[in-house]
Amino acid sequence: MSKVAIDLRGKNALITGGTRGIGAAIATLFHDAGANVITTGTSPESIIKLNTENIDSRKSYLTLNLSKQKSVDSFLQELKSFDIIDILINNAGVNLINNNTDTNDADYNFTMDVNVKGPYRLAREISKKMIKNRYGRIVNISSIWSSITRPGRSLYTTSKFAVVGLTKSLAVELGAHNILVNSVGPGFTLTELTRANNTIAELENISSKIPLKRMAQPSEIANIVLFLASDLNTYITGQNIIIDGGYTIV
Ligand code: NAP
């Protein structure tokens, strides 16, 4: 029996927000699968340090702050030197928790710029390269809050429902060019941020409400992203795959 493995050798993959959390897990997994990985972070100093220390020709780091239009402009300018980008993972995202009545326009603009406008602009420019190359895989990271909501999540939920709208629209516009577009909606995932935002008692309380009785590891999200971004996925497009240990079904 032959062993089936996902092989990304020769593929150029861009993963936004790859310096930590889910994005870092995706970047590591894609690199392990053989891809040339370009990841981004917001701090120019950290990016210079990462590039200086890096001795791996299949890894590179770029600065990108999706809340600053100038940063997005210069990032898109830098991307012009990459003729081929086969895979785009729109992972970077922010989560401000507040009721609608307690938010302001700055909160709205910040959340929408990072979670929606950024992925929209990146997809627009990168899909032009994919169209020329007649190949592409785009995976947008949404959330369980792209299909359910609760008090305090109005901003985040609004942005993540929009990510699904973007995913479906791109899937129908790009399908004829052999570009498959999906989103992945993680449930509670044990990133540094999740640990920092919750006490141990809160983490245990949330875990008790998940049918699998635990939160996800970032690698469990990355595995599904890898499948969707690979050549093993030939017929799933326009879908929002929820990875939540069953949280949204109870
Ligand atoms: P995280 O640990 O906070 O990491 C966020 C990444 O995005 C970092 O690399 C960060 O770069 C980058 N980033 C932050 N602000 C940015 C901005 N303004 N512009 C560009 N990049 C920025 O996040 P995470 O928990 O792994 O979440 C990753 C994605 O999964 C997000 O879209 C999030 O909404 C979604 N998600 C997460 C969970 C969860 O439980 N963790 C659940 C559902 C969905 P720096 O290191 O430079 O700050």
Side-chain angles (χ1 to χ4, degrees):
M1 209 190 307
S2 66
K3 211 173 159 193
V4 179
I6 292 183
D7 185 358
L8 295 186
R9 278 176 298 176
K11 296 272 197 283
N12 295 335
L14 168 63
I15 299 147
T16 65
T19 48
R20 55 196 163 89
I22 294 170
I26 297 170
T28 302
L29 189 63
F30 278 33
H31 182 265
D32 290 350
N36 304 313
V37 174
I38 311 153
T39 55
T40 73
T42 56
S43 155
E45 297 78 26
S46 306
I47 293 299
I48 290 170
K49 191 164 179 279
L50 284 167
N51 278 321
T52 311
E53 290 167 356
N54 178 37
I55 48 163
D56 186 331
S57 62
R58 290 198 290 108
K59 272 187 197 166
S60 55
Y61 303 89
L62 295 175
T63 303
L64 172 65
N65 188 337
L66 293 167
S67 71
K68 297 192 162 55
Q69 297 316 305
K70 272 193 181 158
S71 171
V72 183
D73 291 343
S74 57
F75 176 75
L76 290 173
Q77 200 60 34
E78 278 184 274
L79 280 191
K80 289 199 169 142
S81 63
F82 295 87
D83 284 338
I84 297 177
I85 294 179
D86 304 283
I87 298 167
L88 166 64
I89 311 298
N90 275 312
N91 165 76
V94 289
N95 183 3
L96 298 182
I97 298 177
N98 244 337
N99 284 339
N100 171 258
T101 45
D102 297 323
T103 60
N104 56 39
D105 285 354
D107 296 335
Y108 177 88
N109 289 336
F110 174 69
T111 304
M112 296 303 275
D113 279 352
V114 177
N115 292 2
V116 184
K117 189 174 177 186
Y120 188 96
R121 289 190 69 193
L122 263 55
R124 184 172 65 205
E125 297 313 314
I126 291 166
S127 66
K128 288 177 191 164
K129 292 181 193 287
M130 292 174 169
I131 289 169
K132 267 193 197 151
N133 193 28
R134 281 210 54 78
Y135 181 89
R137 297 282 185 277
I138 300 176
V139 182
N140 300 316
I141 307 302
S142 62
S143 168
I144 46 173
W145 311 112
S146 70
S147 74
I148 59 167
T149 193
R150 66 160 59 149
R153 304 271 173 174
S154 56
L155 265 182
Y156 191 63
T157 300
T158 301
S159 74
K160 291 299 187 179
F161 269 69
V163 167
V164 176
L166 173 64
T167 301
K168 290 184 186 298
S169 310
L170 291 175
V172 297
E173 290 179 5
L174 298 173
H177 301 282
N178 192 29
I179 302 168
L180 277 57
V181 188
N182 291 286
S183 49
V184 153
F188 294 95
T189 306
L190 268 177
T191 58
E192 283 165 39
L193 198 75
T194 309
R195 282 198 176 91
N197 285 347
N198 296 280
T199 62
I200 291 181
E202 283 167 341
L203 293 175
E204 280 171 1
N205 180 38
I206 295 167
S207 297
S208 73
K209 295 185 177 132
I210 301 170
L212 291 188
K213 301 297 170 204
R214 63 177 180 85
M215 293 188 178
Q217 292 296 330
S219 61
E220 293 178 287
I221 310 303
N223 287 339
I224 308 304
V225 176
L226 175 65
F227 168 75
L228 290 171
S230 76
D231 285 337
L232 272 192
N233 174 27
T234 51
Y235 211 62
I236 301 176
T237 196
Q239 302 305 308
N240 183 35
I241 315 278
I242 300 292
I243 310 170
D244 66 351
Y247 181 80
T248 55
I249 57 167
V250 289

